[in-house]
């Protein structure tokens, strides 16, 4: 199968034909035609209840199973598929609340939880709230210069009682990839489980949950060119030790349904299977190869955007300033005299969608000494971003950012 050209890839995303420049991809990406068609087909042909013996219902049941199978592989490889389960939910925030609650229900009294302050609130708040249930929750503080939660700091915080370490793989403000292997090694030394928010990582590079050694890993499919849902991978052995919130007669045997009250979104599952088709089309060699191709396409775009922002003396990039394999194209910045509102309004006037604010990384903003209300301006690219779009961004923002 031939490698797809960038123009072929863009043609696959109908929304891009409008000419509008979507650069808030860390907020949510566009979807390829495969996702749109799969969802439409589902409504046309299979929009019935699951679990029946008639053909449409059999297909609807299979639809969920196949979406889950695809995601189990998306999280890693065949081994990840064999050792883990995927819980589907409406969002990462919902899944993290569900997980924190299920874990808290079986934690021994006196257990301790460590939470990275650099995280999106979805993987902070649900754990911090467990303080109300008597658990000791420690914030893993950021380094105020870089915004990173340093592994050495974690090593000084863990104790024999630490049960959970929750952290982001990539902050949705900083855009840099954290050393999850080291975090996991530190946590596992004291027997703690690691819960990783991979929402800002998953749209850019292949997932390798077993290689990283994590216990739980979550991402939102609507930021990975799919429908508005989220998926949580957990080791089957951990899942077996928990009780899910589904009805009492649903088997609590380590399978995902115990954690999916009401079941997953059916048409969303069809969209996820459309995403599988898109990745198969994108690159030969499976999901990992397709996501590696995404990373390859994005790397030069990241470099150009950083070079542009670094050339403006009054711009301060929040996060690493240099391109590297550990730097993703989610780039936040502030300007010495312009407000973020002025920057995003100028972009919008010229047909470019970017956003500003704290992006729910409220604690990180505060820790960096930024006002969360003002936050940052954030430009987040995707493998669908074109050279033309990037140059348009530079033409539009160049004059005001040079001020
Ligand atoms: C890093 C990160 N984590 C978690 C979330 C929350 O995801 P969801 O909207 O699926 O709850 C977001 C959303 O922007 C995010 O960027």
């Amino acid at each position: 199968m031939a490698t797809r050209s960038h123009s072929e890839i863009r043609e696959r995303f109908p929304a891009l034909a409008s000419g509008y420049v979507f650069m808030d991809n860390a907020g949510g990406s566009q979807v390829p035609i495969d996702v749109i068609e799969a969802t439409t087909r589902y409504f046309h042909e299979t929009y019935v209840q699951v679990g029946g013996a008639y053909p449409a219902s059999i297909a609807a049941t299979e639809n969920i199973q196949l979406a889950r199978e695809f995601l189990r592989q998306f999280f890693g490889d065949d081994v990840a598929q064999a050792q883990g389960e995927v819980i589907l939910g409406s969002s990462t925030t919902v899944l993290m609340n569900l997980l924190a609650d299920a874990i808290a229900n079986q934690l021994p009294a006196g257990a301790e939880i460590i939470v990275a302050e650099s995280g999106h609130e979805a993987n902070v708040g649900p754990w911090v709230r467990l303080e109300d249930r008597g658990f000791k929750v420690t914030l893993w503080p950021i380094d105020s210069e870089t915004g990173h939660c340093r592994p050495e700091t974690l090593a000084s915080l863990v104790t024999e009682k630490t049960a959970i370490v929750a952290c982001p793989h990539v902050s949705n403000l900083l855009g840099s990839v954290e050393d999850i292997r080291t975090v996991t090694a530190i946590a596992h030394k004291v027997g703690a489980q690691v819960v990783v928010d991979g929402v800002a990582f998953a749209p850019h590079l292949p997932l390798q949950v077993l290689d990283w050694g994590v216990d739980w890993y979550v991402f939102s499919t609507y930021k990975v060119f799919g429908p508005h849902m989220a998926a949580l991978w957990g080791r089957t052995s951990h899942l077996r030790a928990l009780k899910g919130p589904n009805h009492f007669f649903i088997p609590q045997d380590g399978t995902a349904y115990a954690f999916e009250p009401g079941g997953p979104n059916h048409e969303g599952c069809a969209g996820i299977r459309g995403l599988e088709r898109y990745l198969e089309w994108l690159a030969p060699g499976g999901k990992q190869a397709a996501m590696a191709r995404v990373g390859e396409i994005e790397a030069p775009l990241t470099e150009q955007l950083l070079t542009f922002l670094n050339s403006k003396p009054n711009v301060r990039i929040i996060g690493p300033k240099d391109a590297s394999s550990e730097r993703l194209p989610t780039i936040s910045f502030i300007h010495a005299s312009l407000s973020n509102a002025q920057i995003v309004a100028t972009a919008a006037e010229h047909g470019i969608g970017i956003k500003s604010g704290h992006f729910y990384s409220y604690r990180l903003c505060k820790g960096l000494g930024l006002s969360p209300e003002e936050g940052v301006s954030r430009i987040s690219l995707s493998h669908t971003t074109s050279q033309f779009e990037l140059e348009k961004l530079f033409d539009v923002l160049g004059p005001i950012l040079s001020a």
Side-chain angles (χ1 to χ4, degrees), residues 75-132:
F75 275 99
D77 49 22
D78 292 344
V79 188
Q81 185 186 359
Q83 295 193 6
E85 275 296 328
V86 170
I87 301 169
L88 295 166
S90 59
S91 69
T92 286
T93 306
V94 163
L95 287 173
M96 286 297 92
N97 276 286
L98 186 142
L99 181 66
D101 186 55
I103 286 180
N105 286 341
Q106 57 85 57
L107 277 184
E112 298 178 4
I113 295 160
I114 297 177
V115 186
E117 202 184 4
S118 58
H120 182 288
E121 196 61 18
N123 195 29
V124 180
W127 304 108
V128 169
R129 282 193 288 279
L130 296 186
E131 242 166 9
D132 300 343

Side-chain angles (χ1 to χ4, degrees), residues 112-389:
E112 298 178 4
I113 295 160
I114 297 177
V115 186
E117 202 184 4
S118 58
H120 182 288
E121 196 61 18
N123 195 29
V124 180
W127 304 108
V128 169
R129 282 193 288 279
L130 296 186
E131 242 166 9
D132 300 343
R133 291 171 65 171
F135 299 107
K136 180 178 172 203
V137 180
T138 305
L139 275 185
W140 173 7
I142 64 162
D143 170 333
S144 59
E145 284 288 298
T146 62
H148 284 284
C149 286
R150 289 151 40 108
E152 306 88 88
T153 313
L154 175 65
S156 71
L157 294 175
V158 291
T159 74
E160 291 303 317
K161 291 184 181 162
T162 307
I164 296 291
V165 173
C167 61
H169 196 174
V170 172
S171 147
N172 62 336
L173 292 194
L174 303 174
S176 50
V177 182
E178 300 298 344
D179 182 359
I180 285 298
R181 268 192 207 92
T182 302
V183 168
T184 304
I186 294 168
H188 285 177
K189 235 184 208 169
V190 294
Q193 294 181 15
V194 181
V195 181
V196 179
D197 172 353
V199 174
F201 180 93
H204 304 290
L205 288 166
L207 304 186
Q208 299 164 355
V209 286
L210 284 188
D211 191 31
W212 298 325
V214 301
D215 297 281
W216 303 92
Y217 195 96
V218 67
F219 76 92
S220 307
T221 53
Y222 72 95
K223 302 189 197 243
V224 191
F225 343 122
H228 204 115
M229 289 175 69
L232 169 65
W233 181 89
R235 289 177 188 267
T236 311
S237 53
H238 295 336
L239 240 79
R240 283 212 183 99
L242 300 180
K243 238 182 130 184
N246 214 339
H247 308 302
F248 71 90
F249 44 81
I250 304 294
Q252 296 280 346
D253 55 359
T255 48
Y257 191 39
F259 297 85
E260 293 173 343
N265 179 306
H266 298 184
E267 62 272 26
C269 286
I272 286 171
R273 293 178 61 209
L275 171 62
E276 177 175 22
R277 238 160 284 148
Y278 169 66
L279 295 179
E280 280 165 359
W281 171 88
L282 181 63
K287 292 99 196 151
Q288 307 307 103
M291 291 311 295
R293 170 99 177 100
V294 163
E296 244 171 53
I297 295 170
E298 289 178 349
L301 302 173
T302 310
E303 196 166 341
Q304 288 181 67
L305 180 52
L306 284 169
T307 304
F308 167 75
L309 292 171
N310 276 317
S311 73
K312 311 291 170 209
N314 281 334
V315 165
R316 177 180 151 210
I317 295 175
I318 308 296
K321 293 175 179 41
D322 301 318
S324 79
S325 57
E326 304 296 295
R327 182 35 152 141
L328 300 180
T330 298
I331 304 181
S332 304
F333 62 96
I334 52 173
H335 188 271
S337 57
L338 288 173
S339 71
N340 293 313
Q342 285 171 298
I343 295 169
V344 302
T346 303
E349 269 166 36
H350 292 85
I352 301 173
I354 58 173
K355 274 178 68 182
S356 68
H358 55 69
F359 296 99
Y360 291 19
S361 288
Y362 190 97
R363 298 169 201 258
L364 172 60
C365 270
K366 277 192 95 164
L368 284 167
L370 302 170
S371 136
E373 284 67 38
E374 175 64 12
V376 297
S377 294
R378 188 180 73 180
I379 300 169
S380 53
L381 311 181
S382 163
H383 71 300
T384 56
T385 304
S386 71
Q387 189 62 34
F388 176 81
E389 290 178 324

Side-chain angles (χ1 to χ4, degrees), residues 27-42:
S29 58
Q30 295 304 312
V31 291
I33 188 72
D34 311 74
V35 171
I36 298 168
E37 284 180 355
T39 313
T40 307
R41 205 173 318 119
Y42 186 82

